[in-house]
Amino acid sequence: MRIAQVAPLTEAIPPKLYGGTERVVHWLTEELVALGHDVTLFASGDSITSAKLEAPWPRALRLDGAVRDPNALHMMMLEQVRRRCDNEEFDLLHFHLDYYPWSLFQRQPTPHLTTLHGRLDLPEHQPVFSTFSDVPVVSISDSQRRPVPNANWVRTIHHGLPADLLSPTGAKPGYLAVLGRIAPEKGVDRAIRIAIRADIPLKIAAKVDRADQDYFEQVIEPMLHHPLIEFIGEIGDQQKSEFLSGALGLLLPLDWPEPFGLVMIESMACGAPVIAYNRGSVPEIIESGLTGFIVEDETSAVAAVHQLQGLDRTAIRARFEERFTARRMAMDYLAAYRSLIAKAEPRFRLVSSAE
């Protein structure tokens, strides 16, 4: 199959550090190539891939201080993709750019699919999905699609990561963990309070975006002076196995409808259970009492902390392998691709006979 993966230019594929969408695109692309498919990746020039790389811009936009209008470069990339469709170079186009491609690519015959990676519950999303009600889309959790039930959902495909990317190290667990990004919706302040109430050390390995700098300085930074709390900063995949294997559990006291939450399956890959608030995708990913605990508030989270050592970390890793590998994700996408191509074939035959 000739597949185009069209990624955001904001981060390289894979990203150097944080970047959930870009990491998923990388894992999916690598699996598709390993399965024998002809994949072209449209991404920034500093990306590393086994696919054919088409780079509309030489450097990830987050690292390129000279770029002030990223929308202009994304529009240029989309036009490059469309012109190659004129030559029938691809059997399917897979976009990871939200709704940006829809108007243009609904006007050409190559089958296309968009994975929606973010939240869909904002009021301005409703008219977009009403306007583009025929565009085929994939949700990354069932909960993500609830605000827009009338969209043309092809299927839900949970994220997966390479089976050998993260693994248990055998470290003796001795602290609670926070991993990812410091932002109000991620509830790092709540995680700190939970750890203090449970009287267990907490290590925070997370980045601070510019947009969340005030929250970090005004809310989080004063809480870091407690002797149980250690702020490590942003870490990459190379450090995650050791960090998560040494954790009694991962704390995820969310305050928003999390569309997926990669940190949950990263933790599971290392055998570490997750304590997460009952928000968004959490009930689809965490099996309470097996891979962690789903809780409603700080009090129930503290109670769950004291039950973590009763969970089987080997069983947690096994559930990751059964449910959340990149190979499983790639196979699910291939099934979606084939269904879209099959639906498009009658239209191609009709056009051909008319000619």
Side-chain angles (χ1 to χ4, degrees):
M1 199 181 301
R2 300 170 302 166
I3 305 164
Q5 294 288 335
V6 187
L9 298 172
T10 309
E11 303 279 357
I13 306 293
K16 307 306 179 190
L17 289 171
Y18 190 85
T21 297
E22 293 81 7
R23 292 167 70 213
V24 170
V25 174
H26 173 65
W27 297 329
L28 174 59
T29 298
E30 295 303 302
E31 288 292 337
L32 292 172
V33 171
L35 287 165
H37 297 279
D38 182 0
V39 184
T40 301
L41 174 65
F42 289 83
S44 63
D46 49 354
S47 298
I48 300 171
T49 180
S50 300
K52 301 170 186 173
L53 178 62
E54 291 292 336
W57 196 253
R59 196 167 180 227
L61 302 186
R62 185 164 81 107
L63 303 176
D64 194 335
V67 174
R68 290 181 290 179
D69 186 359
N71 287 331
L73 300 177
H74 283 100
M75 294 305 292
M76 173 191 69
M77 177 173 67
L78 289 173
E79 179 59 22
Q80 290 179 2
V81 176
R82 190 207 61 79
R83 291 180 183 181
R84 292 184 62 172
C85 291
D86 290 343
N87 299 324
E88 299 183 358
E89 293 188 39
F90 304 114
D91 298 313
L92 184 127
L93 312 171
H94 188 170
F95 295 106
H96 303 270
L97 297 169
D98 296 325
Y99 40 77
Y100 282 98
W102 293 353
S103 182
L104 180 62
F105 286 89
Q106 279 295 87
R107 292 167 165 81
Q108 56 81 51
T110 305
H112 60 93
L113 178 70
T114 296
T115 295
L116 296 165
H117 292 269
R119 67 188 302 174
L120 303 176
D121 61 326
L122 302 178
E124 54 269 30
H125 291 142
Q126 304 302 321
V128 172
F129 282 92
S130 296
T131 302
F132 297 102
S133 58
D134 294 333
V135 174
V137 287
V138 161
S139 51
I140 58 177
S141 65
D142 290 336
S143 68
Q144 182 197 33
R145 64 166 71 182
R146 287 178 192 145
V148 282
N150 295 326
N152 183 19
W153 297 111
V154 175
R155 64 189 296 172
T156 289
I157 300 179
H158 290 147
H159 289 332
L161 55 91
D164 59 354
L165 179 68
L166 303 175
S167 57
T169 65
K172 183 178 180 181
Y175 52 85
L176 297 170
V178 164
L179 177 65
R181 178 168 60 91
I182 291 181
E185 66 270 17
K186 299 293 186 178
V188 179
D189 53 327
R190 290 183 288 277
I192 292 172
R193 288 194 294 269
I194 291 165
I196 292 172
R197 288 178 61 181
D199 196 28
I200 294 176
L202 174 69
K203 294 187 178 184
I204 304 170
K207 68 173 290 190
V208 183
D209 279 338
R210 189 176 305 170
D212 300 310
Q213 191 66 40
D214 288 346
Y215 167 72
F216 176 73
E217 292 176 357
Q218 296 170 16
V219 178
I220 300 302
E221 207 164 30
M223 303 177 78
L224 300 180
H225 300 298
H226 194 283
L228 286 173
I229 310 304
E230 180 182 355
F231 178 62
I232 296 173
E234 188 173 8
I235 63 175
D237 287 341
Q238 299 81 5
Q239 296 84 41
K240 287 179 182 177
S241 288
E242 181 179 356
F243 177 72
L244 290 168
S245 295
L248 293 163
L250 178 79
L251 295 182
L252 200 63
L254 298 163
D255 191 27
W256 77 305
E258 176 70 70
F260 186 81
L262 278 174
V263 293
M264 289 187 278
I265 65 172
E266 289 176 333
S267 187
M268 290 169 59
C270 298
V274 179
I275 295 176
Y277 277 22
N278 188 10
R279 306 284 189 275
S281 65
V282 167
E284 297 174 48
I285 299 170
I286 301 303
E287 297 168 272
S288 204
L290 177 59
T291 59
F293 297 101
I294 301 171
V295 299
E296 300 295 338
D297 51 31
E298 290 180 24
T299 299
S300 55
V302 172
V305 165
H306 297 298
Q307 301 178 61
L308 287 173
Q309 291 184 314
L311 299 182
D312 184 342
R313 295 174 77 97
T314 301
I316 295 172
R317 168 69 193 192
R319 288 302 282 162
F320 158 76
E321 293 175 356
E322 293 166 9
R323 300 185 62 204
F324 296 114
T325 66
R327 178 58 56 94
R328 189 274 310 152
M329 173 175 65
M331 297 302 292
D332 285 352
Y333 273 113
L334 285 170
Y337 297 165
R338 292 187 180 106
S339 70
L340 290 170
I341 291 170
K343 289 178 182 178
E345 284 177 354
R347 180 173 56 176
F348 289 146
R349 287 197 293 269
L350 182 62
V351 170
S352 177
S353 59
E355 293 172 350

